[in-house]
PDB file of all heavy atoms in Angstrom:
ATOM      1  N   PHE O 170      -3.440 126.468  13.603  1.00 96.00           N
ATOM      2  CA  PHE O 170      -4.580 125.599  14.258  1.00 96.00           C
ATOM      3  C   PHE O 170      -5.841 125.464  13.445  1.00 96.00           C
ATOM      4  O   PHE O 170      -6.449 124.534  13.454  1.00 96.00           O
ATOM      5  CB  PHE O 170      -4.889 126.310  15.630  1.00 96.00           C
ATOM      6  CG  PHE O 170      -3.909 125.976  16.624  1.00 96.00           C
ATOM      7  CD1 PHE O 170      -3.025 126.951  17.108  1.00 96.00           C
ATOM      8  CD2 PHE O 170      -3.695 124.712  17.156  1.00 96.00           C
ATOM      9  CE1 PHE O 170      -2.070 126.701  18.046  1.00 96.00           C
ATOM     10  CE2 PHE O 170      -2.751 124.420  18.295  1.00 96.00           C
ATOM     11  CZ  PHE O 170      -1.869 125.432  18.608  1.00 96.00           C
ATOM     12  N   GLY O 175      -9.141 121.905  10.481  1.00 92.00           N
ATOM     13  CA  GLY O 175      -9.855 121.741   9.248  1.00 92.00           C
ATOM     14  C   GLY O 175      -9.423 120.345   8.742  1.00 92.00           C
ATOM     15  O   GLY O 175     -10.383 119.675   8.268  1.00 92.00           O
ATOM     16  N   CYS O 308     -27.773 108.536   7.474  1.00 77.00           N
ATOM     17  CA  CYS O 308     -26.705 108.907   6.382  1.00 77.00           C
ATOM     18  C   CYS O 308     -26.891 110.223   5.653  1.00 77.00           C
ATOM     19  O   CYS O 308     -26.081 110.941   5.371  1.00 77.00           O
ATOM     20  CB  CYS O 308     -26.768 107.771   5.347  1.00 77.00           C
ATOM     21  SG  CYS O 308     -26.226 106.116   6.028  1.00 77.00           S
ATOM     22  N   GLY O 320     -18.084 121.452   0.308  1.00 80.00           N
ATOM     23  CA  GLY O 320     -18.529 122.411  -0.830  1.00 80.00           C
ATOM     24  C   GLY O 320     -17.880 123.701  -0.679  1.00 80.00           C
ATOM     25  O   GLY O 320     -17.279 124.229  -1.641  1.00 80.00           O
ATOM     26  N   LYS O 330      -7.583 131.837  -9.510  1.00 60.00           N
ATOM     27  CA  LYS O 330      -7.150 133.051  -8.848  1.00 60.00           C
ATOM     28  C   LYS O 330      -7.822 134.302  -9.483  1.00 60.00           C
ATOM     29  O   LYS O 330      -8.107 135.270  -8.820  1.00 60.00           O
ATOM     30  CB  LYS O 330      -5.632 133.112  -8.931  1.00 60.00           C
ATOM     31  CG  LYS O 330      -4.990 133.951  -7.849  1.00 60.00           C
ATOM     32  CD  LYS O 330      -3.439 133.863  -7.926  1.00 60.00           C
ATOM     33  CE  LYS O 330      -2.846 134.534  -6.744  1.00 60.00           C
ATOM     34  NZ  LYS O 330      -1.385 134.385  -6.817  1.00 60.00           N
ATOM     35  N   VAL O 364     -30.606 110.098  19.324  1.00 76.00           N
ATOM     36  CA  VAL O 364     -30.161 111.274  20.069  1.00 76.00           C
ATOM     37  C   VAL O 364     -31.290 112.015  20.652  1.00 76.00           C
ATOM     38  O   VAL O 364     -31.336 112.415  21.766  1.00 76.00           O
ATOM     39  CB  VAL O 364     -29.346 112.244  19.049  1.00 76.00           C
ATOM     40  CG1 VAL O 364     -29.145 113.458  19.803  1.00 76.00           C
ATOM     41  CG2 VAL O 364     -28.060 111.550  18.636  1.00 76.00           C
ATOM     42  N   ALA O 367     -32.525 110.214  23.687  1.00 75.00           N
ATOM     43  CA  ALA O 367     -31.585 110.385  24.766  1.00 75.00           C
ATOM     44  C   ALA O 367     -31.777 111.879  25.329  1.00 75.00           C
ATOM     45  O   ALA O 367     -31.576 112.046  26.536  1.00 75.00           O
ATOM     46  CB  ALA O 367     -30.107 110.144  24.253  1.00 75.00           C
TER      47      ALA O 367
END
Side-chain angles (χ1 to χ4, degrees):
F170 284 109
C308 293
K330 207 172 184 179
V364 174

